[in-house]
Every structure is written in structure tokens, then in C-alpha cells.
Amino acid sequence: IDQLKTASAKHAKGLEEAAAMKVKAEQQISVVELLRREMENRDVLQREQDSKVFESITELRREIDQLQRGLQRKTAMMESLQRAMDRLASDMHGMHEAHEQLRKY
């Protein structure tokens, strides 16, 4: 009977240890599951943020392209006006010389 009591006590102690390990394992599983959900949420938020940043960059690139095209058009217009002014100045200079020639006579 003493052997049965000893064996029963050992089994009871083993069962208690197994129950304690089960509780710890369940707690760790809960913690891991919570961390997994948090990581999933952060991943979703990060993807949303990345998408917003990509959209912002795309919009900025469009705006920059539009500004560059506008600047190129204005530069071309200024160059055209400069050429016209140069021609006008040349014509005015020619007219001034012709006027001076006429004055001499």
C-alpha cells in the first residue's frame, strides 16, 4: 500500500506539473497569438501608409512634369520674343542709319 501511495503521489505531482506546463503553454500561445494579430494590424497599416506615400509621390511627379512643361513653353516663348526683339532692334538700327543717311542729303 505504501508503494501505491508513493506511486500515486508521484503521479499526482506529475499531473500537477503537467497541468502547470499546460497553463504556461496556453499563456504563451495567447501571447504569440496576440503578437501575431498586432503584427498583422501593423502590416495592414504599413501597406496603407505605403500606398498613400506612393500616391503622393506619383501626384508630385505629375505636378513636377506639368511645371517642367510649362517652364519649357515659357522658355521657348521668351526665346522667341528675344529673337523678335533682336530683329526689331536690328531693323530699328537699320532705319536709324537710313534716316541719318537721308539727313545728310
Side-chain angles (χ1 to χ4, degrees):
I1 292 186
D2 287 336
Q3 288 178 346
L4 289 174
K5 286 182 182 179
T6 304
S8 178
K10 283 183 183 181
H11 287 299
K13 186 176 180 182
L15 288 173
E16 288 174 9
E17 289 175 359
M21 286 175 56
K22 179 185 173 196
V23 169
K24 285 182 183 179
E26 288 173 347
Q27 289 173 344
Q28 289 176 348
I29 289 170
S30 295
V31 168
V32 168
E33 185 62 28
L34 178 66
L35 289 173
R36 186 189 61 78
R37 282 193 301 256
E38 285 181 16
M39 288 178 69
E40 285 176 353
N41 290 338
R42 287 183 184 175
D43 199 33
V44 167
L45 292 173
Q46 183 65 44
R47 276 189 247 124
E48 289 173 357
Q49 183 67 23
D50 290 348
S51 177
K52 288 177 185 177
V53 168
F54 180 75
E55 289 173 14
S56 295
I57 289 172
T58 302
E59 183 61 30
L60 285 173
R61 284 183 179 161
R62 269 190 232 122
E63 289 177 13
I64 288 170
D65 289 344
Q66 289 173 350
L67 289 171
Q68 284 178 331
R69 284 191 298 275
L71 181 61
Q72 288 170 348
R73 282 191 304 270
K74 288 179 182 179
T75 301
M77 188 186 322
M78 291 297 290
E79 289 171 352
S80 176
L81 288 172
Q82 183 63 43
R83 287 190 299 271
M85 290 297 293
D86 290 344
R87 281 191 305 269
L88 183 61
S90 175
D91 291 347
M92 290 293 289
H93 182 69
M95 290 175 71
H96 181 68
E97 286 180 0
H99 179 46
E100 289 297 320
Q101 291 293 330
L102 288 173
R103 264 186 164 185
K104 288 182 182 179
Y105 294 113

